[in-house]
Amino acid sequence: MANHLVQSSKVGIVGAGISGIAAAKQLSHYNPMVFEASDSIGGVWKHGSYNSTKLQTPRCDFEFSDFPWPQRNNSSFPSYIEVLEYLENYATHFDVFKFVKFNSKVVEIRYVGDNYNQPQNITTPFMVNSTKPNGEFGRLLNGQHAWEVAVEHTQSKTHHLEWYAFEFLVVCIGRYGDLPRMPIFPLNKGPEIFSGKVLHTMDYCKLDKEASQELLKDKKVAVIGYKKSAIDLALECAEANQGPGGQPCTMVIRTLHWTVPNYWIWGLPFFLFYSTRASQFVHERPNQNLIRALLCLLLSPMRKAISKFIESSLLWKLPLVKYGLKPDHPFVEDYASCQMAILPENFFPEADKGRIQFKMASKWSFWSRGIEFEDNTQLEADVVILATGYEGKKKLQAILPEPFSSLMVDSSGIRPLYRGTIHPLIPNMAFVGYVESVSNLQTAELRCKWLARLADEQFKLPSVEKMLEQTTKEIEVMKQTTRFYKRHCISTFSINHSDDICEEMGWSSWRKNNWFSEAFSPYTSQDYS
């Protein structure tokens, strides 16, 4: 493989999922080069979806601020095919495709800038960027190449490698898609002793409808997991086993999470409880003053009451107690960690027919004909599908050089990103799509607008020290709100997070027409147009 510089540009973008195309659109005046490993845009929506996959948030919350959904689409929860069509129409409308190099996989990134002093101790902030006055982060575009990117062009027969150089690099490869999280098994109890078929959801997503039906039909299937992908998969399995030879699908569950059948709670719209400025006022947020902290303490009974109120509705609507699926933790902890899943309509009706069964197990391993649990019980299976998630951190760390790779995960397991975008200790680089919220599209688009204005030098970042302080405060809030804080979800203070971004750009943080709407209506992408 050749190792020579092919082309240079001001801005490079890695990945053409939602975050990548949003970044390309906002930075289009720099003619960015976008590297996409696959042959299409869409990211996880293209390569990580099942036949039954639908949008988890209402359509109105999954919309670019300057590109509304077509009027002909009236579905509140569009299918993944409709989402892909929407994203492709967006990219076409704003002429984003001209920036994208498909079948171009980034395999290595090198730092070649001269404004980074490798730290002796990466926990000491001013060992980094110490050449800058007052600990400043510096400009994103300074006229000098900072990063070289090795790209493997996979469509070519030779799979040749080419190098590109950029002043500024935006990483948008996401958390999902091509590095599955695999369980670790005791010696001689792994999948090699199992006579059936084992695959991860990543592999299942690659099957067409006919192949997936053949895999599941009349088979004893065990699905490992209980998040959205596992739930959808269990339903697909049940629907494939409707005939006389049909077999039940068993979900093997380690950690329970709250599931929601729709966005209504005792007849009230869900957004009233968590997605308005008034509702988020009762939750902790970073940088709150003493009075605000005292108010949050006084309002803690209200937070618990809201969570209990929602739980009571879910327990009334769904047979969670009947099937032993009631979580031990409060609902707010799942919402605060972006783990609330929308149930498919037919999920529990299929469970009532015996086509979906449940087994709680903190530990399990394989035996020759299926799965063995820590209580020595066994489950026969023909197929085991691992809905165990993806190694998002490892995926990102794999392409970043040291010491930057180690900097991307702090001691708490969270990526310490200022405004969810800039790592204070990594120069001339940004990350989009690594902070979760109620609407990841809205979150990504607003941060791309912020990033474009930062690149244009319309405002300046705080010092490295202050940015590190801000990220630390956000991590502390997440830790206090949910035990699942490592997902880096900002859902309980998302409006406050957006307020800070708006104020930094010089925008008004209050975006509504009147105080009533400001207090009690949800914020959507349209508010940030």
Side-chain angles (χ1 to χ4, degrees), residues 39 90 115 154 177 190-191 214 258 285 290 306 311 339 385 396 414 439 486 504:
D39 59 359
Y90 172 85
N115 60 350
T154 56
E214 184 179 346
W258 289 95
R285 64 179 67 171
L290 181 60
I306 290 170
E311 290 166 31
Q339 296 197 100
I385 305 180
L396 184 59
I414 298 177
S439 171
K486 290 184 180 181
E504 214 157 41

Side-chain angles (χ1 to χ4, degrees), residues 277-461:
R277 194 176 287 279
S279 64
Q280 292 198 357
F281 184 79
V282 306
H283 295 276
E284 291 187 72
R285 64 179 67 171
N287 299 317
Q288 57 188 18
N289 56 34
L290 181 60
I291 295 175
R292 193 67 185 79
L294 287 172
L295 273 173
C296 271
L297 184 62
L298 292 172
L299 292 171
S300 59
M302 182 180 292
R303 290 199 298 273
K304 293 177 182 177
I306 290 170
S307 187
K308 287 289 185 185
F309 183 73
I310 294 173
E311 290 166 31
S312 68
S313 176
L314 299 179
L315 292 171
W316 177 72
K317 290 178 180 177
L318 304 173
L320 301 180
V321 174
K322 173 184 175 182
Y323 289 110
L325 299 177
K326 178 183 178 295
D328 293 330
H329 57 269
F331 173 84
V332 66
E333 290 200 40
D334 276 343
Y335 183 81
S337 57
C338 297
Q339 296 197 100
M340 179 187 78
I342 300 295
L343 273 178
E345 187 176 346
N346 294 330
F347 182 79
F348 278 116
E350 290 297 330
D352 291 338
K353 297 172 186 174
R355 295 196 181 101
I356 301 177
Q357 299 177 354
F358 309 96
K359 170 70 177 180
M360 294 298 303
S362 58
K363 293 181 181 179
W364 62 275
S365 57
F366 285 96
W367 66 297
S368 60
R369 294 190 299 168
I371 293 175
E372 185 174 82
F373 303 102
E374 57 186 339
D375 61 1
N376 295 322
T377 59
Q378 295 175 325
L379 172 70
E380 287 193 12
D382 301 307
V383 180
V384 176
I385 305 180
L386 305 173
T388 49
Y390 295 86
E391 296 284 8
K393 296 182 180 72
K394 290 182 180 179
K395 177 181 176 183
L396 184 59
Q397 288 177 300
I399 65 168
L400 288 179
E402 289 294 352
F404 307 108
S405 178
S406 298
L407 290 169
M408 276 309 295
V409 180
D410 74 353
S411 58
S412 67
I414 298 177
R415 300 174 188 85
L417 298 174
Y418 179 73
R419 305 298 184 225
T421 309
I422 294 288
H423 193 299
L425 307 183
I426 303 180
N428 306 96
M429 182 176 279
F431 304 85
V432 183
Y434 295 94
V435 173
E436 293 192 71
S437 71
V438 177
S439 171
N440 289 332
L441 183 148
Q442 177 185 327
T443 301
E445 185 191 29
L446 183 59
R447 278 146 192 78
C448 288
K449 291 182 178 185
W450 177 87
L451 192 60
R453 284 155 180 77
L454 179 61
D456 294 344
E457 298 187 44
Q458 294 185 18
F459 65 93
K460 287 185 66 176
L461 291 173

Side-chain angles (χ1 to χ4, degrees), residues 1-4 107 151-153 158-163:
M1 291 186 179
N3 186 358
H4 63 279
V107 295
V151 179
E152 183 181 8
H153 297 286
T158 58
H159 281 217
H160 66 288
L161 195 73
E162 294 181 338
W163 285 86

Side-chain angles (χ1 to χ4, degrees), residues 89-102:
N89 289 341
Y90 172 85
T92 300
H93 181 79
F94 291 108
D95 204 14
V96 170
F97 281 111
K98 69 182 180 184
F99 304 124
V100 184
K101 292 181 177 292
F102 292 109

Side-chain angles (χ1 to χ4, degrees), residues 39-189:
D39 59 359
S40 64
I41 66 168
V44 69
W45 284 104
K46 177 68 176 179
H47 307 289
S49 298
Y50 309 152
N51 296 316
S52 61
T53 300
K54 291 186 177 182
L55 195 61
Q56 281 281 284
T57 55
R59 185 187 64 175
C60 59
D61 288 335
F62 191 91
E63 184 175 75
F64 289 106
S65 60
D66 51 5
F67 194 74
W69 279 84
Q71 291 295 322
R72 68 179 185 276
N73 191 311
N74 297 317
S75 172
S76 295
F77 301 95
S79 69
Y80 81 95
I81 293 174
E82 292 170 309
V83 171
L84 278 174
E85 183 183 8
Y86 172 72
L87 297 176
E88 288 169 359
N89 289 341
Y90 172 85
T92 300
H93 181 79
F94 291 108
D95 204 14
V96 170
F97 281 111
K98 69 182 180 184
F99 304 124
V100 184
K101 292 181 177 292
F102 292 109
N103 300 297
S104 300
K105 183 178 181 179
V106 172
V107 295
E108 185 182 348
I109 296 174
R110 292 177 184 168
Y111 183 71
V112 294
D114 59 2
N115 60 350
Y116 180 84
N117 289 340
Q118 183 167 329
Q120 301 296 317
N121 179 353
I122 61 174
T123 63
T124 306
F126 291 107
M127 297 302 290
V128 183
N129 291 298
S130 58
T131 59
K132 303 188 183 74
N134 303 318
E136 292 181 357
F137 182 79
R139 297 163 58 192
L140 295 182
L141 295 158
N142 56 18
Q144 297 179 338
H145 294 146
W147 297 97
E148 287 184 351
V149 177
V151 179
E152 183 181 8
H153 297 286
T154 56
Q155 198 170 32
S156 163
K157 289 183 179 180
T158 58
H159 281 217
H160 66 288
L161 195 73
E162 294 181 338
W163 285 86
Y164 299 79
F166 302 99
E167 294 179 36
F168 173 47
L169 192 63
V170 188
V171 180
C172 306
I173 60 175
R175 299 164 173 258
Y176 314 106
D178 53 8
L179 193 59
R181 180 182 295 120
M182 304 299 288
I184 298 174
F185 301 102
L187 186 65
N188 299 323
K189 289 192 174 183

Side-chain angles (χ1 to χ4, degrees), residues 472-483:
T472 299
K473 288 173 182 176
E474 286 185 17
I475 291 169
E476 288 173 354
V477 168
M478 287 184 276
K479 282 183 176 181
Q480 292 165 9
T481 307
T482 174
R483 70 196 69 187

